[in-house]
Structures are given as structure tokens and as C-alpha cells.
């Protein structure tokens, strides 16, 4: 019997996918014990209107073309057919059932780890799955807010055996910044994979 692959799940709207996403995913698969990273495209929630969010198939298409040269990183539309609104714990259960021979883990930024205790069934996730955390620059907070946070639940995960902090590059590039820059007619080609930039340009996305 073959050894199960260890697959890291990197969730995001990828609206659009940019070089920051690729850098994190590639670092995770090259410098941790993960065998693959799946970039799971989060579907549009039909109950929420967000006019800046491209249709699911366009965002998935961009992730797929961005990953053409990355054999260890895959695009996943696994959440597209799950009931909405969906929760990560449900996606993990579905993947475990669909791919019983694989071993799934979560990838998240430090900012998400701080709010992880608010996730649906976070304790179940932590009990059953490993979490790989990449660094983010924390927003500036007042000394009062920092003092108030000390000892609160957001700090309970420090040193947890299921949580691995990976010393990946800090990438503060955001899809929001890119969408705004495109609308303002800025040249952001270095921030996107070439084929993704061409796709956006040809489709005239984010320009209006």
C-alpha cells in the first residue's frame, strides 16, 4: 500500500490569484513536509452580494493557469458543489470521505489563527487535522487592546502540537490592492503570473 500524501489546503477567493499566493503555496510545499498544496477556490456565497468578486469559473480558471508550471500545487473547486454557506469543517469531512487514502492539513495566515477559536467546530478541526501557519504582519494595535488580548482564547494555540509555524516569506500583497490598482490604470504586471495578467487584460476584469 502506498504512503498517503500529505496535502495542505490553502483556501481563498483568489480574486485574483497573485504572486503572493504562489510564493506562499510554493514555499509550503518545498520547505515543509507537505507533498502537495491544493489551492481551494472559495465559491461566491449566493446570499451575499459582492460585485467585485468574479464568477467562480473565472477565478478557478486563473488559478489553474497560474499553476501550470507547478506540479506540486493543484487548483481545487471542491467547495463549488457543497451547500452554501459552507464551513471548513464540512469541507474537510467531505474531502476525507472522497479521498480516504490522503492526509489533509490546513494552511492559514497568522491573522486567521488569531480568530480560529471563532470558527465552527474549531476544536474538532484541531483534534483531527494539522495546521500550517505562515507569518503575516499584524495590524497595529493600541497598548490597551494588546493588554486586553493577553490570556484570551486567541493565544491558546501557542505551542499546540497540531500547529506548525512555517517561516515563509511575509507577503503583504493583496487582491484588494490589485483590483484597485487595475481600476486606477496602474501597471501591476509584476504582481501577477504572466498568463493571469493576460487573462485579466483580455477579459477587461476589474477595470470598471
Amino acid at each position: 500500500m502506498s504512503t498517503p500524501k500529505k496535502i495542505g489546503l490553502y483556501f481563498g477567493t483568489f480574486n485574483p490569484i497573485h504572486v503572493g499566493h504562489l510564493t506562499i503555496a510554493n514555499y509550503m510545499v518545498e520547505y515543509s513536509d507537505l507533498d502537495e498544496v491544493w489551492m481551494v477556490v472559495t465559491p461566491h456565497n449566493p446570499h451575499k452580494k459582492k460585485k467585485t468578486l468574479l464568477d467562480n469559473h473565472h477565478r478557478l480558471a486563473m488559478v489553474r493557469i497560474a499553476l501550470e508550471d507547478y506540479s506540486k500545487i493543484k487548483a481545487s473547486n471542491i467547495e463549488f458543489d457543497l451547500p452554501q454557506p459552507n464551513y471548513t469543517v464540512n469541507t474537510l469531512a467531505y474531502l476525507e470521505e472522497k479521498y480516504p487514502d490522503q492526509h489533509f492539513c490546513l494552511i492559514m495566515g497568522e491573522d486567521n489563527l488569531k480568530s480560529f477559536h471563532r470558527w465552527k467546530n474549531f476544536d474538532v478541526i484541531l483534534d483531527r487535522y494539522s495546521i500550517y501557519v505562515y507569518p503575516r504582519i499584524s495590524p497595529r494595535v493600541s497598548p490597551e487592546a494588546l493588554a486586553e488580548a493577553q490570556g484570551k482564547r486567541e493565544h491558546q494555540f501557542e505551542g499546540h502540537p497540531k500547529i506548525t509555524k512555517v517561516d515563509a516569506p511575509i507577503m503583504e500583497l493583496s487582491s484588494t490592492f490589485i483590483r484597485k490598482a487595475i481600476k486606477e490604470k496602474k501597471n501591476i504586471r509584476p504582481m501577477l503570473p504572466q498568463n493571469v495578467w493576460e487573462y485579466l487584460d483580455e477579459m477587461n476584469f476589474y477595470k470598471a
Side-chain angles (χ1 to χ4, degrees):
M1 183 181 291
S2 61
T3 305
K5 281 185 180 177
K6 200 168 189 179
I7 298 169
L9 303 172
Y10 184 5
F11 291 83
T13 54
F14 304 117
N15 186 42
I17 186 171
H18 53 67
V19 295
H21 296 131
L22 280 179
T23 300
I24 294 296
N26 189 67
Y27 192 95
M28 285 289 179
V29 83
E30 294 293 342
Y31 290 93
S32 74
D33 61 351
L34 296 175
D35 298 302
E36 289 182 2
V37 167
W38 290 8
M39 301 187 84
V40 183
V41 182
T42 305
H44 179 255
N45 185 336
H47 304 294
K48 292 182 180 178
K49 291 183 179 178
K50 192 170 183 183
K51 61 183 180 180
T52 59
L53 188 63
L54 295 183
D55 286 345
N56 295 341
H57 70 280
H58 284 304
R59 291 181 289 116
L60 178 64
M62 287 190 289
V63 173
R64 281 179 170 157
I65 62 176
L67 298 179
E68 285 174 353
D69 297 327
Y70 297 85
S71 61
K72 300 178 187 175
I73 312 174
K74 318 286 187 187
S76 173
N77 62 354
I78 200 76
E79 290 198 323
F80 286 12
D81 296 324
L82 296 179
Q84 295 295 321
N86 186 44
Y87 297 97
T88 301
V89 67
N90 299 338
T91 302
L92 288 164
Y94 179 77
L95 282 168
E96 201 172 71
E97 184 178 339
K98 187 175 175 69
Y99 303 100
D101 297 331
Q102 310 296 11
H103 179 68
F104 292 99
C105 312
L106 280 180
I107 294 172
M108 69 172 68
E110 278 182 333
D111 48 344
N112 283 324
L113 183 63
K114 289 178 181 177
S115 59
F116 181 59
H117 62 279
R118 300 191 190 99
W119 288 28
K120 180 180 172 68
N121 298 129
F122 79 92
D123 49 344
V124 174
I125 295 174
L126 201 53
D127 182 57
R128 299 193 60 162
Y129 305 94
S130 298
I131 299 176
Y132 289 72
V133 179
Y134 60 87
R136 296 292 298 267
I137 296 176
S138 299
R140 292 176 183 172
V141 293
S142 66
E144 294 79 10
L146 195 61
E148 186 182 344
Q150 295 300 324
K152 285 196 172 181
R153 296 184 78 181
E154 66 186 53
H155 295 285
Q156 68 179 302
F157 307 118
E158 288 294 329
H160 195 286
K162 286 288 189 74
I163 296 175
T164 301
K165 293 199 173 182
V166 180
D167 191 22
I170 295 176
M171 304 297 295
E172 289 304 302
L173 180 60
S174 73
S175 296
T176 303
F177 175 86
I178 286 172
R179 294 195 303 271
K180 184 172 182 288
I182 292 174
K183 188 174 182 180
E184 294 172 352
K185 298 181 172 56
K186 306 292 188 186
N187 180 7
I188 44 78
R189 291 180 69 162
M191 303 175 193
L192 299 167
Q194 176 66 20
N195 46 13
V196 171
W197 182 88
E198 290 170 357
Y199 188 99
L200 287 175
D201 190 54
E202 184 179 341
M203 300 296 287
N204 286 314
F205 285 144
Y206 308 127
K207 291 183 179 179

